[in-house]
Structure formats: C-alpha cells, structure tokens
C-alpha cells in the first residue's frame, strides 16, 4: 500500500494547519501552498474536500481561511486518506491486479497482507492531534 501524492499533500497540509491554526488564526490556501511547497490549485482542491467532509474547518470572508478546531484535531489519519484516495486504495493490490484477494492472491499478497493490516490499524488509531503533538515535542519533523 502506497499513499498517493494527493494523500501525502493533504496530510502535510493538515499537520501544518494543526501546528499553526485555530478558530482565531486561520490560514489562506496561498500561504499553506507556499509553506508545504504544493501548487495552490492542487492543495485548494484537497482542502476543500477535507472541509466538506468536516475533517478540517473553513470560513469565508476577509478573516476567513482554513483551520483546525478541537473536534478536527480528533479526526484519525485514516479518515484523511480515505477522503482523498477512497477506502479501496488502502486495500488495493500492490501489483495493481483487480482480482487480487485472499481467495485469489497475487504473488506478493500474503507477504504484504499482515503488514498492511497493521498499518491500517495504526492509521485508524492515530489522530491529527497525536501527530501534531509529536511534531511539537520534536519527536517527528515536517520540513516546512
């Protein structure tokens, strides 16, 4: 299982928002785009989808922008990936075979399946806040 570029960009943007925004400090797409080095139109589309699905928050107007509220910070990492890539992407065959499954596995299916299950479980258990806290405590880094 590999994350798409879209999911990677969305995760970077959400974590950047977690570190730099709240209900009183919102951020415009242009600023997010520059900080995480993703084209403005591309990240705008991803952020709009995440906002529509209530993973992040946004407001319009002169003091508008994207931000995370306390509820958003409790969303899981898997939810971001599923909004951007869909649930099937996480379970898709690494060789790209449509019919690959437990009953009809590709050559690497059984090799990857246990690791994939563990990774999905971890992504289901970790919240945006968990990862943001690791960044704040310098247990992880996000070059921005």
């Amino acid at each position: 299982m590999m994350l798409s570029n879209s999911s990677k960009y969305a995760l970077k943007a959400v974590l950047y928002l977690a570190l730099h925004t709240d209900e009183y400090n919102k951020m415009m797409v242009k600023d997010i785009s520059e900080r995480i080095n993703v084209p403005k139109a591309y990240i705008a589309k991803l952020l709009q989808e995440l906002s529509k699905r209530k993973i992040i928050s946004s407001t319009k107007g002169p003091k508008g922008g994207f931000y995370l509220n306390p509820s958003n910070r409790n969303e899981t990492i898997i939810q971001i990936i599923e909004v951007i890539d869909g649930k099937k992407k996480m379970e898709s065959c690494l060789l790209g075979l449509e019919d690959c499954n437990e009953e009809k596995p590709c050559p690497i299916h059984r090799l990857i399946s246990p690791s994939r299950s563990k990774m999905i479980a971890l992504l289901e258990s970790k919240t945006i806040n968990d990862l943001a806290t690791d960044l704040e405590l310098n247990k992880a880094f996000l070059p921005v």
Side-chain angles (χ1 to χ4, degrees), residues 48-65:
Q48 287 166 356
E49 189 60 32
L50 290 169
S51 178
K52 187 170 97 175
R53 302 283 288 279
K54 308 280 190 236
I55 304 293
I56 64 173
S57 297
S58 67
T59 56
K60 295 181 181 180
K63 295 190 180 203

Side-chain angles (χ1 to χ4, degrees), residues 21-22 33 37 39 42 45 53 74 89 95 97 102 108 110 120 125:
T21 68
D22 57 35
S33 166
N37 198 27
Y42 196 161
K45 182 180 173 193
R53 302 283 288 279
N74 289 319
K89 175 79 172 164
L95 296 181
L97 304 177
E102 287 297 320
I108 62 172
R110 286 194 173 80
I120 289 171
S125 72

Side-chain angles (χ1 to χ4, degrees), residues 11-71:
L11 284 167
K12 282 173 57 174
V14 169
L15 291 172
Y16 189 79
L17 288 171
L19 295 175
H20 300 285
T21 68
D22 57 35
E23 292 93 335
Y24 310 104
N25 300 300
K26 299 169 179 81
M27 193 166 271
M28 303 300 291
V29 170
K30 175 178 76 81
D31 299 319
I32 299 165
S33 166
E34 289 171 2
R35 296 286 203 271
I36 67 169
N37 198 27
V38 176
K40 184 179 163 187
Y42 196 161
I43 201 64
K45 182 180 173 193
L46 297 174
L47 292 173
Q48 287 166 356
E49 189 60 32
L50 290 169
S51 178
K52 187 170 97 175
R53 302 283 288 279
K54 308 280 190 236
I55 304 293
I56 64 173
S57 297
S58 67
T59 56
K60 295 181 181 180
K63 295 190 180 203
F66 292 97
Y67 65 98
L68 294 185
N69 64 34
S71 176

Side-chain angles (χ1 to χ4, degrees), residues 5 13 50 95 104 115 140:
N5 282 339
L50 290 169
L95 296 181
K104 188 178 174 188
S115 298

Side-chain angles (χ1 to χ4, degrees), residues 67-79:
Y67 65 98
L68 294 185
N69 64 34
S71 176
N72 300 140
R73 293 177 72 91
N74 289 319
E75 300 293 340
T76 62
I77 302 307
I78 196 86
Q79 289 172 293

